[in-house]
Short mmCIF file of all heavy atoms in Angstrom, two decimals:
data_model
loop_
_atom_site.label_atom_id
_atom_site.label_comp_id
_atom_site.label_asym_id
_atom_site.label_seq_id
_atom_site.Cartn_x
_atom_site.Cartn_y
_atom_site.Cartn_z
N ASN A 311 -84.91 -84.19 -28.11
CA ASN A 311 -85.95 -83.88 -29.09
C ASN A 311 -86.51 -85.15 -29.72
O ASN A 311 -87.71 -85.24 -29.99
CB ASN A 311 -85.40 -82.95 -30.17
CG ASN A 311 -85.28 -81.51 -29.70
OD1 ASN A 311 -85.88 -81.13 -28.70
ND2 ASN A 311 -84.50 -80.72 -30.41
N ALA A 312 -85.63 -86.12 -29.96
CA ALA A 312 -86.11 -87.40 -30.51
C ALA A 312 -87.09 -88.06 -29.53
O ALA A 312 -88.12 -88.61 -29.93
CB ALA A 312 -84.93 -88.31 -30.80
N ALA A 313 -86.75 -87.99 -28.24
CA ALA A 313 -87.64 -88.59 -27.23
C ALA A 313 -88.97 -87.83 -27.16
O ALA A 313 -90.03 -88.44 -27.00
CB ALA A 313 -86.95 -88.57 -25.87
N VAL A 314 -88.92 -86.51 -27.26
CA VAL A 314 -90.15 -85.73 -27.24
C VAL A 314 -91.04 -86.09 -28.43
O VAL A 314 -92.26 -86.28 -28.28
CB VAL A 314 -89.84 -84.21 -27.25
CG1 VAL A 314 -91.13 -83.40 -27.36
CG2 VAL A 314 -89.08 -83.81 -25.99
N ARG A 315 -90.44 -86.22 -29.61
CA ARG A 315 -91.23 -86.61 -30.79
C ARG A 315 -91.89 -87.96 -30.58
O ARG A 315 -93.06 -88.17 -30.92
CB ARG A 315 -90.34 -86.65 -32.03
CG ARG A 315 -89.85 -85.28 -32.49
CD ARG A 315 -89.26 -85.35 -33.89
NE ARG A 315 -88.10 -86.22 -33.98
CZ ARG A 315 -86.85 -85.84 -33.79
NH1 ARG A 315 -86.57 -84.57 -33.47
NH2 ARG A 315 -85.84 -86.70 -33.92
N GLY A 316 -91.16 -88.89 -30.00
CA GLY A 316 -91.73 -90.20 -29.72
C GLY A 316 -92.89 -90.13 -28.76
O GLY A 316 -93.91 -90.81 -28.92
N ALA A 317 -92.75 -89.29 -27.72
CA ALA A 317 -93.82 -89.13 -26.75
C ALA A 317 -95.08 -88.54 -27.40
O ALA A 317 -96.20 -88.98 -27.14
CB ALA A 317 -93.36 -88.26 -25.59
N LEU A 318 -94.89 -87.56 -28.27
CA LEU A 318 -96.03 -86.94 -28.94
C LEU A 318 -96.71 -87.93 -29.88
O LEU A 318 -97.95 -87.97 -29.98
CB LEU A 318 -95.57 -85.70 -29.70
CG LEU A 318 -95.04 -84.55 -28.84
CD1 LEU A 318 -94.48 -83.44 -29.71
CD2 LEU A 318 -96.13 -84.00 -27.92
N THR A 319 -95.91 -88.75 -30.55
CA THR A 319 -96.47 -89.77 -31.42
C THR A 319 -97.36 -90.73 -30.65
O THR A 319 -98.40 -91.19 -31.13
CB THR A 319 -95.35 -90.56 -32.13
OG1 THR A 319 -94.61 -89.66 -32.98
CG2 THR A 319 -95.90 -91.70 -32.97
N ALA A 320 -96.97 -91.02 -29.41
CA ALA A 320 -97.74 -91.94 -28.57
C ALA A 320 -98.97 -91.30 -27.95
O ALA A 320 -99.74 -91.97 -27.27
CB ALA A 320 -96.84 -92.52 -27.48
N GLY A 321 -99.11 -89.99 -28.13
CA GLY A 321 -100.30 -89.31 -27.62
C GLY A 321 -100.09 -88.46 -26.40
O GLY A 321 -101.07 -88.06 -25.75
N ALA A 322 -98.85 -88.14 -26.06
CA ALA A 322 -98.60 -87.30 -24.88
C ALA A 322 -99.22 -85.92 -25.07
O ALA A 322 -99.12 -85.30 -26.14
CB ALA A 322 -97.10 -87.17 -24.65
N THR A 323 -99.83 -85.43 -24.00
CA THR A 323 -100.41 -84.08 -24.01
C THR A 323 -99.51 -83.11 -23.25
O THR A 323 -99.57 -81.90 -23.47
CB THR A 323 -101.80 -84.09 -23.36
OG1 THR A 323 -101.72 -84.68 -22.06
CG2 THR A 323 -102.77 -84.90 -24.22
N THR A 324 -98.70 -83.63 -22.34
CA THR A 324 -97.73 -82.83 -21.59
C THR A 324 -96.41 -83.57 -21.60
O THR A 324 -96.36 -84.76 -21.29
CB THR A 324 -98.18 -82.60 -20.14
OG1 THR A 324 -99.41 -81.90 -20.12
CG2 THR A 324 -97.13 -81.81 -19.36
N VAL A 325 -95.33 -82.88 -21.96
CA VAL A 325 -93.99 -83.45 -21.89
C VAL A 325 -93.11 -82.47 -21.11
O VAL A 325 -92.90 -81.33 -21.53
CB VAL A 325 -93.39 -83.69 -23.28
CG1 VAL A 325 -91.98 -84.29 -23.15
CG2 VAL A 325 -94.27 -84.59 -24.13
N THR A 326 -92.63 -82.92 -19.95
CA THR A 326 -91.72 -82.13 -19.13
C THR A 326 -90.33 -82.73 -19.21
O THR A 326 -90.16 -83.93 -19.04
CB THR A 326 -92.19 -82.12 -17.66
OG1 THR A 326 -93.49 -81.53 -17.59
CG2 THR A 326 -91.23 -81.33 -16.78
N VAL A 327 -89.34 -81.89 -19.49
CA VAL A 327 -87.95 -82.32 -19.58
C VAL A 327 -87.18 -81.70 -18.42
O VAL A 327 -87.21 -80.48 -18.24
CB VAL A 327 -87.32 -81.90 -20.92
CG1 VAL A 327 -85.84 -82.31 -20.96
CG2 VAL A 327 -88.07 -82.51 -22.09
N ASN A 328 -86.49 -82.53 -17.66
CA ASN A 328 -85.62 -82.05 -16.58
C ASN A 328 -84.18 -82.20 -17.01
O ASN A 328 -83.70 -83.31 -17.25
CB ASN A 328 -85.87 -82.84 -15.30
CG ASN A 328 -85.04 -82.32 -14.13
OD1 ASN A 328 -84.53 -81.21 -14.16
ND2 ASN A 328 -84.91 -83.13 -13.09
N ASP A 329 -83.47 -81.07 -17.13
CA ASP A 329 -82.04 -81.09 -17.41
C ASP A 329 -81.34 -81.54 -16.13
O ASP A 329 -81.26 -80.80 -15.15
CB ASP A 329 -81.59 -79.70 -17.82
CG ASP A 329 -80.15 -79.66 -18.32
OD1 ASP A 329 -79.33 -80.50 -17.89
OD2 ASP A 329 -79.84 -78.77 -19.13
N ALA A 330 -80.83 -82.78 -16.13
CA ALA A 330 -80.39 -83.42 -14.89
C ALA A 330 -78.88 -83.64 -14.82
O ALA A 330 -78.42 -84.38 -13.96
CB ALA A 330 -81.11 -84.78 -14.74
N HIS A 331 -78.12 -83.00 -15.67
CA HIS A 331 -76.68 -83.24 -15.70
C HIS A 331 -75.91 -82.04 -15.15
O HIS A 331 -76.13 -80.90 -15.55
CB HIS A 331 -76.21 -83.49 -17.14
CG HIS A 331 -74.71 -83.53 -17.26
ND1 HIS A 331 -73.96 -84.62 -16.85
CD2 HIS A 331 -73.83 -82.62 -17.73
CE1 HIS A 331 -72.67 -84.38 -17.08
NE2 HIS A 331 -72.56 -83.18 -17.60
N GLY A 332 -74.97 -82.33 -14.23
CA GLY A 332 -74.01 -81.32 -13.78
C GLY A 332 -74.65 -80.01 -13.38
O GLY A 332 -75.43 -79.96 -12.41
N PRO A 333 -74.36 -78.92 -14.11
CA PRO A 333 -74.93 -77.61 -13.75
C PRO A 333 -76.42 -77.52 -14.04
O PRO A 333 -77.07 -76.56 -13.65
CB PRO A 333 -74.14 -76.64 -14.64
CG PRO A 333 -73.74 -77.46 -15.82
CD PRO A 333 -73.45 -78.83 -15.27
N MET A 334 -76.95 -78.50 -14.74
CA MET A 334 -78.37 -78.57 -15.10
C MET A 334 -78.78 -77.37 -15.96
O MET A 334 -79.93 -76.93 -15.93
CB MET A 334 -79.24 -78.70 -13.85
CG MET A 334 -78.92 -79.98 -13.08
SD MET A 334 -80.00 -80.29 -11.69
CE MET A 334 -79.36 -81.88 -11.10
N ARG A 335 -77.83 -76.89 -16.75
CA ARG A 335 -78.06 -75.82 -17.73
C ARG A 335 -77.40 -76.20 -19.05
O ARG A 335 -76.75 -75.38 -19.71
CB ARG A 335 -77.50 -74.49 -17.23
CG ARG A 335 -78.24 -73.92 -16.03
CD ARG A 335 -77.72 -72.56 -15.59
NE ARG A 335 -76.38 -72.65 -15.01
CZ ARG A 335 -75.27 -72.24 -15.60
NH1 ARG A 335 -75.31 -71.73 -16.81
NH2 ARG A 335 -74.11 -72.36 -15.01
N ASN A 336 -77.59 -77.46 -19.44
CA ASN A 336 -76.92 -77.97 -20.62
C ASN A 336 -77.77 -77.91 -21.88
O ASN A 336 -77.30 -77.54 -22.96
CB ASN A 336 -76.51 -79.44 -20.37
CG ASN A 336 -75.78 -79.61 -19.06
OD1 ASN A 336 -74.60 -79.30 -18.94
ND2 ASN A 336 -76.49 -80.10 -18.05
N LEU A 337 -79.05 -78.29 -21.74
CA LEU A 337 -79.94 -78.28 -22.89
C LEU A 337 -80.12 -76.85 -23.42
O LEU A 337 -80.14 -75.89 -22.65
CB LEU A 337 -81.31 -78.85 -22.50
CG LEU A 337 -81.31 -80.36 -22.22
CD1 LEU A 337 -82.61 -80.76 -21.53
CD2 LEU A 337 -81.15 -81.15 -23.52
N LEU A 338 -80.25 -76.73 -24.73
CA LEU A 338 -80.40 -75.43 -25.38
C LEU A 338 -81.88 -75.09 -25.49
O LEU A 338 -82.59 -75.67 -26.31
CB LEU A 338 -79.76 -75.46 -26.76
CG LEU A 338 -78.27 -75.86 -26.78
CD1 LEU A 338 -77.79 -76.08 -28.21
CD2 LEU A 338 -77.43 -74.79 -26.09
N PRO A 339 -82.39 -74.18 -24.66
CA PRO A 339 -83.84 -73.92 -24.64
C PRO A 339 -84.41 -73.54 -25.99
O PRO A 339 -85.52 -73.94 -26.35
CB PRO A 339 -83.98 -72.79 -23.62
CG PRO A 339 -82.79 -72.93 -22.73
CD PRO A 339 -81.69 -73.39 -23.64
N ASP A 340 -83.66 -72.74 -26.76
CA ASP A 340 -84.19 -72.28 -28.04
C ASP A 340 -84.16 -73.35 -29.12
O ASP A 340 -84.79 -73.19 -30.18
CB ASP A 340 -83.43 -71.03 -28.52
CG ASP A 340 -81.94 -71.26 -28.65
OD1 ASP A 340 -81.42 -72.22 -28.06
OD2 ASP A 340 -81.27 -70.47 -29.36
N ALA A 341 -83.44 -74.46 -28.85
CA ALA A 341 -83.39 -75.56 -29.82
C ALA A 341 -84.23 -76.76 -29.37
O ALA A 341 -84.35 -77.75 -30.09
CB ALA A 341 -81.94 -76.01 -30.04
N LEU A 342 -84.80 -76.67 -28.16
CA LEU A 342 -85.61 -77.76 -27.64
C LEU A 342 -86.96 -77.79 -28.36
O LEU A 342 -87.51 -76.74 -28.72
CB LEU A 342 -85.82 -77.58 -26.14
CG LEU A 342 -86.47 -78.73 -25.38
CD1 LEU A 342 -85.58 -79.96 -25.40
CD2 LEU A 342 -86.76 -78.31 -23.94
N HIS A 343 -87.49 -78.99 -28.54
CA HIS A 343 -88.80 -79.14 -29.19
C HIS A 343 -89.81 -78.20 -28.53
O HIS A 343 -89.93 -78.17 -27.30
CB HIS A 343 -89.26 -80.59 -29.07
CG HIS A 343 -90.38 -80.96 -29.98
ND1 HIS A 343 -91.65 -80.42 -29.84
CD2 HIS A 343 -90.45 -81.80 -31.05
CE1 HIS A 343 -92.44 -80.92 -30.76
NE2 HIS A 343 -91.75 -81.74 -31.52
N PRO A 344 -90.58 -77.46 -29.33
CA PRO A 344 -91.48 -76.45 -28.75
C PRO A 344 -92.62 -77.03 -27.92
O PRO A 344 -93.25 -76.29 -27.14
CB PRO A 344 -92.04 -75.72 -29.99
CG PRO A 344 -91.85 -76.66 -31.13
CD PRO A 344 -90.59 -77.42 -30.81
N ALA A 345 -92.87 -78.33 -28.02
CA ALA A 345 -93.93 -78.93 -27.21
C ALA A 345 -93.48 -79.24 -25.79
O ALA A 345 -94.31 -79.57 -24.93
CB ALA A 345 -94.44 -80.21 -27.87
N ALA A 346 -92.18 -79.15 -25.52
CA ALA A 346 -91.64 -79.58 -24.22
C ALA A 346 -91.48 -78.40 -23.27
O ALA A 346 -91.05 -77.32 -23.66
CB ALA A 346 -90.30 -80.26 -24.41
N ARG A 347 -91.83 -78.64 -22.01
CA ARG A 347 -91.51 -77.72 -20.93
C ARG A 347 -90.16 -78.13 -20.33
O ARG A 347 -89.91 -79.33 -20.18
CB ARG A 347 -92.59 -77.73 -19.86
CG ARG A 347 -93.97 -77.30 -20.35
CD ARG A 347 -94.96 -77.21 -19.20
NE ARG A 347 -94.57 -76.18 -18.25
CZ ARG A 347 -94.90 -74.88 -18.37
NH1 ARG A 347 -95.59 -74.49 -19.41
NH2 ARG A 347 -94.51 -74.01 -17.45
#
């Protein structure tokens, strides 16, 4: 989420996050920044 905020501050219009660890189901979708896919 900190990274997403930084991207938006820089002017990002699209932010895609890939959960890339182990089972790739680690990030909490309901707690992820709402601007991120």
Side-chain angles (χ1 to χ4, degrees):
N311 283 343
V314 175
R315 292 193 298 270
L318 295 174
T319 296
T323 54
T324 299
V325 180
T326 299
V327 177
N328 183 18
D329 188 332
H331 172 76
M334 299 186 178
R335 292 183 292 107
N336 310 282
L337 290 167
L338 303 171
D340 57 341
L342 189 65
H343 195 293
R347 298 186 63 86

